[in-house]
Amino acid sequence: MKRILFGALLVALVACTEPREPPADADGATRPNILLYLVDTLRADRVGAYGYPKPTSPTLDRLAAEGVVFEQAYAPGPWTLPSVVSIMLSQPSCRHGVEIDGVKISPESTPLAEILADAGYRTASLIANAYAGRPAGLERGFEVYAGPVDDPARHVASFLEKTDEAKPFFLYVHDVRPHDPFDAGDEAMALFGDVDHRALKRLRNRSLRYRRLTRVDHAAGDPPGTTDNTTEQRQALARLDEMAARYRQAYDARVREADGELAATLDVLHDRGVLDETVVVVLSDHGEEFGEHQGWLHDQSVYDEVVRAPLIVRLPGSEHAGARVDAPVSLLDVAPTLADLAGVPTPDGAFEGTSLVPRIEGRAVGGEPLVATIRLNRKKYFRPWKESRGDHNLVVRDGRWKAIWNVEPDTIELYDLAADPGESRDLHAAHPDVAGRLRARARDYLERCSARRSKTGPPEKISKEALERLRALGYVD
Ligand SMILES: [Zn+2]
């Protein structure tokens, strides 16, 4: 009851004061609860609230109607590990350095959970993809850390049951349903096409085979490029092209199932009477390619199908319901936003993102072109892409423009997303001034970032159960 009253008070305070007064309290009792809900591999454009016409996301759409939708949010990286670490530390991968498995965050870094725990939050991490958890040092700051967890709703209920109700909570959930291999159930598959178990099994086998082919050298302990299996990879890609419709169906079905689990989690909060005093943030760590730029799966490119992520923020009392923010933002901004909404100060220089609260409130925000995503590939090898894109790419967004600086060949691609959202016409030659300006921004950013690079910690031994899970997701062979 006390929490509900304080929650109402907080909503009133947030609505009336300008600038925001943090609801500071020695024991944190007046701070809002936070649910940070990550759906692995969820493409923004497969969500109804982002314009997808198929029924993948009734819960996300409801949440979007009650919250604020960021139209152009960018994942910090094109695959799970660097992206999740970036979200939790609000640092780009060139600074935190967790760019391949086997390293963990620097002991000097301050993850969001630690900052909130120090401010009096009860904290829990419930994650299905163990990759971006304890092995990377991301258990820090969580009093409860559980994984792999497939049914977060049940764990959320039990966590809330067992902990001190007088304190606010910070819950982090990482669901992995839309990640291949797509183990979609019949009910969800039937919403998007016919149910054919043999075809689904064939699809799973083909995606796993393709994934293995991309990193035979890494699996063997050789430097990528030792083996040139371009021909086999081309065949594997063609075999996925043949199953494109089935791939999209299975993916949509898994998104629908993830949406159902989110609904169950929100129901737990609702039934306990705390949903309306909770900040709910739903996002993803990256998207998925469906052959748009000749690839499948993720982490091989930085086109929007892979790096544009959904970002939906529902505030207590549904404040600013229905607002949509069109400006490009980075998911590095999520941790500073949550600290801001919680009224919790952050250590100087720890976070590189900036709070999105001014944007949520409709205030103008200026600044330099946004360096939105960094890809540094150390695992996979496909000669045609190695030659054209290289292994290191930075995405810069400025208004309608999206530039991709391919670091090693030192080339720049330039797309006008307003006219060409599919990134099919490279305009760098037609607009050398824009391309040059964004390339200079990317170069400068990388130079400064590398100078601030953290020393990563030693690797952590991974449990047998977690290893099995990673094998099932295709992360290890
Ligand atoms: Zn992921």
Side-chain angles (χ1 to χ4, degrees):
M1 194 60 204
K2 184 172 160 231
R3 292 278 307 127
I4 292 167
L5 281 176
F6 276 128
L9 189 69
L10 171 64
V11 171
L13 195 73
V14 164
C16 303
T17 49
E18 180 71 37
R20 173 180 307 275
E21 284 294 328
D25 188 313
D27 65 2
T30 63
R31 304 190 196 280
N33 302 313
I34 296 168
L35 170 64
L36 179 60
Y37 201 105
L38 188 146
V39 182
D40 206 299
T41 322
L42 179 58
R43 281 172 69 137
D45 68 356
R46 257 47 188 181
V47 174
Y50 287 84
Y52 196 48
K54 295 184 185 176
T56 46
S57 57
T59 310
L60 278 163
D61 300 347
R62 205 162 47 242
L63 204 66
E66 295 169 0
V68 181
V69 174
F70 288 84
E71 301 269 12
Q72 303 191 77
Y74 278 82
W79 64 291
T80 308
L81 183 62
S83 194
V84 173
V85 171
S86 285
I87 292 166
M88 292 304 183
L89 298 184
S90 182
Q91 290 180 1
S93 54
C94 46
R95 179 164 164 202
H96 64 61
V98 183
E99 292 157 326
I100 194 161
D101 28 321
V103 290
K104 58 200 276 191
I105 56 171
S106 153
E108 271 118 62
S109 57
T110 36
L112 174 67
E114 215 166 71
I115 292 169
L116 294 175
D118 286 349
Y121 275 77
R122 329 168 244 165
T123 54
S125 171
L126 311 168
I127 63 173
N129 191 340
Y131 211 52
R134 197 189 296 278
L138 289 181
E139 83 289 3
R140 272 177 46 197
F142 289 108
E143 67 186 76
V144 171
Y145 172 85
V149 161
D150 278 327
D151 47 353
R154 194 172 60 81
H155 284 78
V156 167
S158 122
F159 172 74
L160 294 178
E161 204 64 44
K162 286 181 197 148
T163 57
D164 179 3
E165 261 190 58
K167 289 181 168 181
F169 59 75
F170 169 52
L171 286 169
Y172 170 59
V173 174
H174 183 153
D175 187 1
V176 78
R177 284 173 174 79
H179 194 293
D180 74 295
F182 308 112
D183 295 316
D186 291 359
E187 204 183 319
M189 283 296 277
L191 288 171
F192 305 97
D194 64 327
V195 176
D196 180 340
H197 294 125
R198 284 173 60 188
L200 188 57
K201 188 167 176 226
R202 204 157 59 238
L203 172 67
R204 286 196 294 259
N205 289 340
R206 288 185 186 190
S207 71
L208 280 173
R209 175 174 157 71
Y210 170 60
R211 184 185 285 276
R212 282 204 189 97
L213 285 170
T214 61
R215 45 157 205 228
V216 287
D217 292 328
H218 181 73
D222 296 328
T226 307
T227 309
D228 184 354
N229 60 0
T230 302
T231 307
E232 285 109 308
Q233 286 203 52
R234 279 197 200 286
Q235 283 163 354
L237 285 166
R239 287 172 73 79
L240 284 170
D241 287 340
E242 285 164 20
M243 296 198 79
R246 186 67 68 186
Y247 195 116
R248 293 189 188 105
Q249 178 198 8
Y251 176 85
D252 285 351
R254 287 304 264 169
V255 173
R256 173 67 179 226
E257 289 176 352
D259 186 85
E261 193 58 40
L262 170 65
T265 304
L266 295 176
D267 281 349
V268 170
L269 301 187
H270 178 264
D271 292 348
R272 293 188 67 89
V274 295
L275 180 59
D276 210 38
E277 56 198 80
T278 300
V279 176
V280 180
V281 175
V282 183
L283 43 63
S284 75
D285 53 347
H286 53 80
E288 182 87 332
E289 285 189 78
F290 297 153
E292 292 90 341
H293 293 88
Q294 291 73 55
W296 291 91
L297 306 176
H298 49 266
D299 81 19
Q300 301 255 63
S301 81
V302 289
Y303 298 108
D304 269 19
E305 55 268 24
V306 180
V307 296
R308 184 174 156 237
L311 175 62
I312 298 170
V313 179
R314 183 193 180 278
L315 295 172
S318 298
E319 206 192 347
H320 301 291
R324 298 184 81 97
V325 176
D326 186 47
V329 301
S330 160
L331 297 185
L332 296 187
D333 299 336
V334 169
T337 304
L338 292 174
D340 188 0
L341 290 168
V344 172
T346 53
D348 266 357
F351 285 176
E352 291 204 11
T354 50
S355 169
L356 296 170
V357 169
R359 293 194 190 276
I360 290 172
E361 293 175 344
R363 286 188 267 145
V365 177
E368 288 186 280
L370 176 74
V371 176
T373 305
I374 299 175
R375 168 176 177 263
L376 179 61
N377 171 49
R378 290 188 165 172
K379 251 183 171 172
K380 297 191 171 179
Y381 180 78
F382 182 50
R383 185 167 38 82
W385 291 337
K386 171 77 179 173
E387 286 169 2
S388 57
R389 301 168 185 166
D391 291 323
H392 199 180
N393 322 88
L394 271 73
V395 172
V396 189
R397 284 299 321 273
D398 188 29
R400 65 198 296 158
W401 299 109
K402 172 175 174 178
I404 300 173
W405 178 39
N406 301 310
V407 179
E408 295 135 335
D410 193 16
T411 56
I412 189 106
E413 299 168 44
L414 184 70
Y415 302 98
D416 176 354
L417 291 189
D420 175 29
E423 297 162 89
S424 61
R425 291 187 299 279
D426 179 358
L427 300 177
H428 81 272
H431 296 274
D433 48 336
V434 181
R437 184 166 57 80
L438 299 184
R439 184 196 324 229
R441 166 73 175 136
R443 259 205 194 113
D444 181 54
Y445 183 93
L446 188 61
E447 208 174 282
R448 284 165 192 249
C449 181
S450 307
R452 287 157 59 96
R453 191 176 173 89
S454 306
K455 213 169 144 42
T456 49
E460 178 114 351
K461 205 168 153 32
I462 193 160
S463 75
K464 223 175 131 191
E465 195 193 4
L467 199 64
E468 272 314 306
R469 174 61 67 103
L470 296 181
R471 197 161 282 135
L473 286 170
Y475 280 104
V476 291
D477 296 299

